[in-house]
Amino acid sequence: MNNTHRFAGIALLALSAALAGVHCEGQGIALRAIGTVNESMGGAGTALPLSAIGAIHWNPASIADFKCHQADFGIGLIYPDTRVSSTVGPFSGSSRSESGASPLPNMALVIRGADPRFTFGLAAIAVAGYKLNYDASLTNPIHFPQGSLGIIPTFGRVNTEAEFFQIVPTIAYTINDCWAIGAAPTLTIASLGVEPLLTAPPGAAGYSLGSGSRYTFGGGGQFGVYYKPGERFSAGVSVKTEQYFEDFRFKGQDNATGAPVSGSIDLEYPLIISLGTAWRISPRTVIANDVRWFDYASARGFGTDGLNPDGTLAGLSWSSVMAVATGISHQLNDRVTVRGGYQWNENPISSETVFFNTAAPLNVKHSAALGASVRVHPNMTLSGTYFHAFDQATSGPYAGIPGTDVTIRTAAYVLSGGVTIDF
């Protein structure tokens, strides 16, 4: 077997490591919720604009329902717990990433226009943020040094990090007392680092040492419709187009010769469609429900699979997935509101492709949240949320070899706080 095929598995693993940088707590790479208040509702918010951050992100038309101007600020800390174990013949072991907590800052502004038919918004959102580091191992086969099992691919150490921020200038137009529409261009700024470097063909000693790319720019758009015939019921639909990025470019060094190596990754953020309803079951209590579709199967870098002729990777063979979110908000008194939420989504990683995704264990299916808001001033509210993504395991064969096993386990813990100012 030549070097191209020998290190094919490493290429697949390395791309999964790179894409782990775009979040382990979401439906695949996508965040389950944006902002402290939206997190407390389990991510449900397409038809319930409780805060500027969540409203702009999930349905640009819904900001038309704001009664005044609003500034919304928040920051979260996500702590992922990611583990991988593998068994090949007499070798068996387990590894855990020790990447620590990563910050997720968000801010948004909604301004009512002088013409009451128009509402304007601007958001700067941490779409994703992540770090992953697996040490090389002498007991866990998948993290044996590259080439140490001959033609059976091994991974060695993995170090990845990523930052994905989105800037969203938004406009909503109120058609009549029931209907509003909204639109926003989306500018996404991303930085990605990955080691080993899968984006260049392997050499005699495997894939080279990798490094971070420069900040890379991408863009797309989002569109929404918001319907509110009265105070008890509202509905919404939004479409986020694919985010098209320029190529992520990397520079590395050949393991054997020290010669410079360069490569690039072409990937897209997937199309997302959201449908939502909200019911106000009493003057103090409202329930929201969202259903979403994430089209990974059509996104470059995710839905495609296999290797390019030079040994670099085409994609991870992810499936498109559906997600369901439910949240409830109850106002205890004039100052305090409590919320809870739950979300479930399909797993984009099948048992047949677990091996290719061990460094991107984006397989969480169940999560829950609890949060509260306290009005500390007539125009200022403080909010806090705890969001928990429950441990999920997915197993499959090691590189398709019968009698072997690879298992990925993922959980995540998020604490966030924010301040909302109405003016």
Side-chain angles (χ1 to χ4, degrees), residues 146 195-198 200-203 206-210 251-255 261:
Q146 293 188 50
E195 185 178 14
L197 186 62
L198 77 154
Y207 285 88
S208 74
L209 300 176
K251 297 180 179 180
Q253 176 179 308
D254 187 272
N255 294 332
V261 174

Side-chain angles (χ1 to χ4, degrees), residues 62-334:
S62 69
I63 65 172
D65 199 31
F66 280 66
K67 308 306 180 186
C68 61
H69 312 315
Q70 184 180 107
D72 195 15
F73 306 91
I75 187 167
L77 287 175
I78 175 170
Y79 182 87
D81 183 7
T82 56
R83 292 148 287 165
V84 57
S85 59
S86 62
T87 300
V88 179
F91 306 107
S92 182
S94 180
S95 302
R96 169 173 267 159
S97 172
E98 297 183 4
S99 54
S102 298
L104 298 170
N106 300 287
M107 61 185 71
L109 179 68
V110 169
I111 298 292
R112 298 286 303 179
D115 184 333
R117 294 174 298 176
F118 290 94
T119 307
F120 304 94
L122 178 64
I125 299 169
V127 177
Y130 191 95
K131 290 184 179 181
L132 178 75
N133 57 3
Y134 284 124
D135 289 333
S137 174
L138 298 178
T139 59
N140 189 5
I142 207 160
H143 288 295
F144 281 0
Q146 293 188 50
S148 59
L149 289 182
I151 64 172
I152 299 175
T154 52
F155 203 5
R157 71 176 185 179
V158 177
N159 292 281
T160 64
E161 59 181 310
E163 299 173 335
F164 281 67
F165 291 94
Q166 199 167 84
I167 299 172
V168 191
T170 303
I171 183 170
Y173 177 76
T174 300
I175 299 173
N176 54 38
D177 291 341
C178 298
W179 293 92
I181 56 176
T186 52
L187 172 65
T188 305
I189 306 169
S191 175
L192 183 64
V194 56
E195 185 178 14
L197 186 62
L198 77 154
T199 59
Y207 285 88
S208 74
L209 300 176
S211 65
S213 69
R214 64 176 175 82
Y215 278 97
T216 300
F217 293 85
Q222 59 187 44
F223 311 91
V225 177
Y226 182 68
Y227 173 66
K228 188 177 181 181
E231 291 302 318
R232 294 184 62 87
F233 173 76
S234 57
V237 57
S238 70
V239 177
K240 292 177 175 291
T241 70
E242 295 90 341
Q243 297 292 302
Y244 300 98
F245 285 95
E246 57 180 328
D247 286 354
F248 290 81
R249 296 193 293 272
F250 300 86
K251 297 180 179 180
Q253 176 179 308
D254 187 272
N255 294 332
T257 66
V261 174
S262 62
S264 64
I265 296 175
D266 180 16
L267 63 87
E268 297 172 351
Y269 196 85
L271 169 76
I272 303 173
I273 300 174
S274 299
L275 304 172
T277 59
W279 296 87
R280 190 167 294 279
I281 60 176
S282 78
R284 291 180 178 268
T285 305
V286 60
I287 296 176
N289 298 281
D290 280 14
V291 177
R292 296 195 178 98
W293 175 254
F294 298 82
D295 190 17
Y296 289 113
S298 301
R300 287 198 301 268
F302 294 98
T304 49
D305 58 5
L307 293 172
N308 294 314
D310 62 357
T312 56
L313 185 67
L316 290 173
S317 191
W318 281 15
S319 301
S320 298
V321 298
M322 179 176 290
V324 178
T326 298
I328 182 169
S329 176
H330 177 69
Q331 185 178 357
L332 294 177
N333 52 48
D334 292 340

Side-chain angles (χ1 to χ4, degrees), residues 324-399:
V324 178
T326 298
I328 182 169
S329 176
H330 177 69
Q331 185 178 357
L332 294 177
N333 52 48
D334 292 340
R335 295 185 58 201
V336 180
T337 299
V338 294
R339 303 182 187 91
Y342 168 79
Q343 189 170 136
W344 168 87
N345 60 265
E346 295 176 299
N347 181 1
I349 301 170
S350 68
S351 59
E352 291 78 12
T353 60
V354 169
F355 174 73
F356 304 146
N357 289 277
T358 55
L362 308 178
N363 59 321
V364 169
K365 296 175 66 174
H366 303 275
S367 59
L370 289 173
S373 295
V374 179
R375 187 173 294 277
V376 296
H377 182 273
N379 296 328
M380 180 182 291
T381 301
L382 300 181
S383 301
T385 295
Y386 172 67
F387 194 102
H388 184 97
F390 293 96
D391 185 270
Q392 177 71 34
T394 307
S395 298
Y398 189 114

